[in-house]
Amino acid sequence: MDQMNEQDSESLDSFRESSAFEMAIKTARSKGAVLWILHENGLSEVTFAYRFPVLAKVAQDLPDAPDETAPSV
C-alpha cells in the first residue's frame, strides 16, 4: 500500500483519509467515478498521476463508464 508522508497532502492529511481515498479509487467502477473522487479531494488529474502513480494506473485501466449490463453485487 502506498502511504503519503505529511508533506504529500493538504486535503488528505491523515492515514485514515488516505486509506479511504485509496479504497475509493480501487473500488471505482469507471473513470468518471475516479474524477469525482479526485474532485471531492481537491486533486487534479496531473497531481493524482504524479503523487499516486500506482492508483493512477488502476484508474487508467477502468472503463469510461460503468458496464450497465453487469449484475449488481
Side-chain angles (χ1 to χ4, degrees):
M1 177 170 77
D2 293 336
Q3 293 183 12
M4 302 179 300
N5 66 33
E6 292 177 17
Q7 297 174 355
D8 282 343
S9 177
E10 296 168 18
S11 62
L12 300 173
D13 57 3
S14 75
F15 178 73
R16 183 177 304 170
E17 287 175 346
S18 66
S19 294
F21 174 75
E22 180 177 356
M23 183 59 71
I25 297 295
K26 287 183 174 181
T27 59
R29 296 182 61 198
S30 69
K31 291 177 182 173
V34 171
L35 291 175
W36 183 84
I37 294 164
L38 296 180
H39 175 75
E40 288 295 305
N41 287 281
L43 292 173
S44 71
E45 291 179 67
V46 172
T47 301
F48 173 63
Y50 177 75
R51 289 176 32 197
F52 304 97
V54 173
L55 291 178
K57 175 63 176 149
V58 169
Q60 180 181 6
D61 291 340
L62 291 172
D64 290 334
D67 183 0
E68 299 297 329
T69 62
S72 299
V73 177

